[in-house]
Every structure is written in C-alpha cells, then in structure tokens.
Amino acid sequence: MLSSRRGANQLPTYLILCIVCCLLFALEIFFTIPQTPRHIITWATSNLASIVNLPSTGVDAVSNYITDREVVLQHLNDLERESVELKVQNQRIQSLEQENNELRSLLEIYSSDDRFDFIVAELRSKIQTHSRDEVYLNQGSTDGVEPGRAVIDVSGIYGQVVEVQPFLSRIVRITDQRIAIPARVQRSGLNVVLSGVGDGRHLAMEYATVTWDVKEDDVIVASGLGGVYPAGYPIGVVTSIRHEETGVEATVIVEPSAQIDRRRWLLILMKETNTETSQE
C-alpha cells in the first residue's frame, strides 16, 4: 500500500519531466542552441559580424534603389521622347495625305475641264485686314501668269490675279471689299454682283432689294460677264437674307464655296483653249 501511494505521488513529477523533454526536443529541432563554449563564441561572432555589416548593407540597398530609380526614369524619358517623335511623324503623314488629296482633286479639275489651261500654284503668304484680303502665290510672269486671271480651288472661285512679279503673283480673294464679281443665282437665273463684307469669310449682294428672286440655300455661280471668271463655276451659297427697315433694300449674305483659309494649293486659269482649233 505504501508503494502504490508513493507511485501516485510521483505521477505529476513524471508528467512534468515528459513535458520538459518534449519542449527541449522541439527546441533542438527548430532552434540551434549553443551547447559548447566554441559554439557560443561562433554564434556570438557571426551575429556580431551581421550587426557590424548592417550599415554597409543598408548603404548598398539604398544605392541599388537609387540606381534602379535612375534607370527607370531614363527609360521613361526615352519612351516620352519616342512618343513625341511618333506624334510629329504622324502629323507629317496626315499633312502629306491632306496635301496629296488636295493635289489629286486639282488634277481631276485639270483633266475634266478642257476649256482652260491651268497652272498649279502654292500659297506663300497672306495679307488680311478689314479692307484688304490678299495672298501671294509662287507662280509669276516667268510661268506665264498675267494680271486679271481667275484663281480657283477644288470647291469654287478663290480670287483674281491683280499683280505679277517674275516669281510671285498677288491675288485678291473674293472676300475682299474692293472686288466685284458678276454672278448668277443658279435656281432663278437672276444676275447679281457680289463683293466682300470685310470679315474675310462672307460676301454680300450689291443693291439687293426685297423683290429679288433669291432664297436661302440658293447656289450662286459665276455669270461669265466681264470675262474674268468662267461661267458656271461655284461662288457660294446664300446663308441669310435680311430685309432692311426701308422696306425696299435687303442684305443677302453668301458664304464662299472655296475654302478660303484652308487651301495651300490653287489653280490659276490661263487663256481659254481654242476648242475648234484643237478639234481640227
């Protein structure tokens, strides 16, 4: 009976020893515990070296970060420069395509109308004020250009040659207040005279009255009177009609068919070809 009581009293002690053994076994597996003075010195020295090298390691890490950041920034700058260059090239291509389409349209006019000889001219400069609306073209007397010749674009009548130099021609555009254009309302056949209103974008019918047979959206073409502008060429479209307070006069505004401020290439109409001679 005494031995059984003693065994019962020692059971908690055995249990505690087992738990301690398990903990030591776990520590042995998962952690390296220095067991000898040599191991203790080695462990302390290795950790001390890591601590001593910590500033150098930090400096290297910062240096690598700065270097990587500079490389990334340089790469971004290169990409941005390439993007700008591509945009410039794209704009050049679009400009060339537009110019090519414009020249192709002029060539179609040249080949479809055998009444006149044409000279293709390029716009060089522009003079535009309230009282003047002029441009200079790169064709002159050495190319056979003479004063009084009509100038057209792919959409309609553009202006008239008023001065010629050896390599330049001065053109008064149809929106100039000083110019008068004999015209005709295509729908009704009414003969009218157009002149610029001074804004560089519109023309007006001179001496218009409320009794004239003209309506908004009427197409206005050259009448051919005066011999400058060929009959039937488009001049513009009526955009507004306003009756004045007098009850007699009217203000009729016409928007040009020609792209006045959007053309670089134009056609100068030369002498009318002799169709009878060509047929012979």
Side-chain angles (χ1 to χ4, degrees), residues 214-249:
V214 58
K215 300 178 181 179
E216 290 187 3
D217 298 327
D218 272 346
V219 176
I220 310 300
V221 297
S223 65
L225 299 176
V228 176
Y229 304 101
Y233 266 73
I235 296 177
V237 177
V238 177
T239 56
S240 69
I241 300 175
R242 185 180 72 250
H243 292 178
E244 301 298 338
E245 296 179 356
T246 60
V248 177
E249 298 176 341

Side-chain angles (χ1 to χ4, degrees), residues 152-215:
I152 66 173
D153 70 358
V154 298
S155 303
I157 293 177
Y158 187 90
Q160 177 183 350
V161 179
V162 295
E163 182 185 355
V164 177
Q165 300 176 15
F167 303 103
L168 287 175
S169 297
R170 182 164 63 92
I171 312 300
V172 174
R173 301 199 289 193
I174 60 175
T175 49
D176 194 297
Q177 288 181 308
R178 300 167 297 171
I179 198 170
I181 308 172
R184 177 170 53 87
V185 180
Q186 191 175 53
R187 177 186 57 82
S188 63
L190 177 67
N191 287 322
V192 298
V193 176
L194 300 177
S195 61
V197 298
D199 64 354
R201 296 177 299 169
H202 299 93
L203 301 93
M205 291 186 182
E206 295 185 357
Y207 314 112
T209 67
V210 296
T211 60
W212 283 12
D213 187 5
V214 58
K215 300 178 181 179

